[in-house]
Amino acid sequence: MQLIVSEKDRLELGSYSEQPNGECMVEKDVFKHAVPDLDLSVIVPCYNVEKYVAQCLDSLLHQQTQYTFEVIAVNDGATDGTGRILDEYASRFDALHVINRENGGLAAARNTGIGEARGRYLTFVDSDDYVSDGFIGNAMSAAMRENADVIAAGQISFDESRQYKRLMPHGDHDKSVLTGTAWGKMFKRELLARVVFPEGYWFEDTPLRHLVYPRIDRYASVGDCAYMYRHNLQGINLSSKGKPKALDTVYITDLVFRHVERIAPQGYLDGPVFHTAVCNQFYLNQCRIEGLPKECRKLVFRIQSDFYHAHLKSNGSSASVNSPLYITAMSLHSFILAEISVRAAFLNRAVKVLGRLFLVAKKHNS
């Protein structure tokens, strides 16, 4: 299964931005330690975060919990005082292991940490974020109680002046907090044995949605702890607008589709969950390339529409898609409708939020 089928299309996309060489699946198990001897490995990629990394490490290393854990801080070639702070903390905390490597980007740093992990579960914390008290203990208790493959915690977004967004689960199995980011979740070790973060790509979390989540048999969410996400104006989702490398969102979708048939059962590929995941990915891709030239946007839309008609149209629709209008656009091969759906992104998000609030209120009153 491929998204970019035609070599002509691939060459035309490459004229705007070339596809990186990174992979998202490997043939051999990535773990250097074959048998885990800890409950949890926390992987913290670090690059030029001297202003924030102490808060991140303090939030992790002072967790009070019965579970055994390690913190693997990967110094990804930082050029500021990050390395000095990491070494100082490592001298005081036996649970902290520092790995120094040449700068290779977030995906490479995460992959380095995964390879060294000794935990039965793995979690990722970005070094400018932090976690609440009880994050490890409460999430691991849910993992053990449910024998969960993935556990997702609540998320609180903040900036220098305020907390401005809360996404907390309603119940023990609420998948609204199972977002497409690596952070804020704990993964059973086996799920990441061969799936890696593709190096050289922007939007490197994409394989989780398509190569890890379809293999979840047992899932749990926890609301008595939270991942604290720092709103970063330099983050990829905000800083990529209008840049040709934003096409990585299309390339990485193509990359994961080449592997999805190897890991997902046919029932999943034929069902509404895959339909929804792909339609949401296509809409996200179209939004991410909004600032690129019109001919590039039209080409991406046509490629995604062709895939939709070849693989998805007969699967039926889902009420949980992020933009029904974008699906209509693909059904009709209408680029004009696709452009309208992208410009209506804020309205789409508002309608989804109102829908969730309505369902919560309805459940509360019943």
Side-chain angles (χ1 to χ4, degrees):
M1 182 180 292
Q2 281 184 259
L3 174 59
I4 308 171
V5 179
S6 161
E7 189 60 30
K8 179 176 179 293
D9 290 342
R10 197 174 292 277
L11 288 172
E12 190 171 345
L13 287 173
S15 69
Y16 297 99
S17 179
E18 292 188 2
Q19 181 163 1
N21 294 320
E23 261 300 344
C24 60
M25 286 197 74
V26 294
E27 294 300 322
K28 296 175 64 176
D29 191 315
V30 299
F31 296 110
K32 293 182 180 178
H33 304 279
V35 180
D37 56 4
L38 296 172
D39 294 318
L40 177 69
S41 293
V42 184
I43 297 168
V44 185
C46 304
Y47 178 74
N48 289 1
V49 283
E50 62 179 1
K51 184 177 178 181
Y52 307 117
V53 69
Q55 182 183 30
C56 176
L57 293 177
D58 282 335
S59 75
L60 292 166
L61 295 167
H62 291 100
Q63 294 274 316
Q64 299 297 311
T65 177
Q66 62 179 310
Y67 299 101
T68 57
F69 70 94
E70 63 178 349
V71 177
I72 302 174
V74 182
N75 178 8
D76 189 37
T79 57
D80 64 356
T82 298
R84 174 184 53 76
I85 296 170
L86 293 179
D87 290 341
E88 191 271 326
Y89 269 78
S91 70
R92 294 193 289 123
F93 294 93
D94 292 338
L96 175 62
H97 310 292
V98 176
I99 300 174
N100 296 297
R101 57 160 292 145
E102 293 182 0
N103 179 252
L106 178 60
R110 284 178 176 167
N111 291 337
T112 297
I114 292 171
E116 298 290 343
R118 296 161 50 208
R120 296 173 182 85
Y121 284 86
L122 278 67
T123 191
F124 301 93
V125 178
D126 288 354
S127 49
D128 54 351
D129 300 336
Y130 65 97
V131 299
S132 69
D133 292 340
F135 179 84
I136 291 177
N138 294 336
M140 283 301 304
S141 291
M144 296 302 184
R145 181 177 67 250
E146 302 273 356
N147 188 26
D149 298 306
V150 174
I151 309 94
Q155 305 166 16
I156 298 176
S157 301
F158 69 99
D159 58 24
E160 299 305 319
S161 61
R162 63 192 173 100
Q163 294 182 5
Y164 66 91
K165 181 180 177 182
R166 294 173 63 90
L167 179 61
M168 305 301 288
H170 301 281
D172 295 336
H173 305 93
D174 182 0
K175 288 196 173 181
S176 70
V177 290
L178 188 62
T179 57
T181 61
W183 48 260
K185 298 144 193 91
M186 292 183 179
F187 301 90
K188 189 173 280 188
R189 180 185 184 88
E190 291 76 9
L191 290 176
L192 299 176
R194 293 176 54 213
V195 175
V196 296
F197 293 96
E199 299 180 18
Y201 285 82
W202 285 357
F203 316 112
E204 62 281 313
D205 288 348
T206 304
L208 297 177
R209 176 72 70 186
H210 301 288
L211 300 179
V212 173
Y213 291 176
R215 293 152 57 209
I216 296 175
D217 290 324
R218 301 180 66 86
Y219 166 80
S221 57
V222 286
D224 49 359
C225 61
Y227 184 97
M228 309 297 293
Y229 170 73
R230 189 183 304 274
H231 183 65
N232 181 5
L233 293 176
Q234 302 304 313
I236 288 298
N237 285 325
L238 293 175
S239 65
S240 63
K241 195 157 219 170
K243 295 183 179 177
K245 194 167 172 59
L247 269 177
D248 278 9
T249 190
V250 179
Y251 288 139
I252 205 168
T253 304
D254 176 59
L255 182 67
V256 297
F257 282 5
R258 288 186 237 155
H259 296 284
V260 69
E261 287 179 305
R262 297 169 57 189
I263 61 92
Q266 192 61 44
Y268 169 79
L269 297 175
D270 292 336
V273 175
F274 181 63
H275 178 280
T276 300
V278 174
C279 288
N280 287 344
Q281 184 68 53
F282 284 175
Y283 177 59
L284 180 60
N285 292 349
Q286 204 76 47
C287 289
R288 284 171 170 169
I289 65 166
E290 183 182 7
L292 298 188
K294 182 178 180 180
E295 290 306 311
C296 179
R297 302 196 310 270
K298 286 182 72 173
L299 175 59
V300 169
F301 174 71
R302 197 258 300 156
I303 289 170
Q304 296 189 153
S305 296
D306 288 349
F307 184 97
Y308 175 81
H309 282 267
H311 299 283
L312 297 177
K313 192 172 183 181
S314 62
N315 289 15
S317 60
S318 168
S320 59
V321 293
N322 291 335
S323 177
L325 182 58
Y326 190 76
I327 296 178
T328 301
M330 289 193 293
S331 297
L332 300 176
H333 290 290
S334 172
F335 177 65
I336 293 174
L337 276 183
E339 292 277 275
I340 293 172
S341 73
V342 169
R343 294 191 178 102
F346 175 79
L347 181 60
N348 284 317
R349 288 194 296 269
V351 169
K352 288 201 74 175
V353 169
L354 289 173
R356 284 199 296 266
L357 291 175
F358 174 77
L359 291 175
V360 171
K362 185 178 179 181
K363 182 178 179 181
H364 179 74
N365 293 328
S366 61

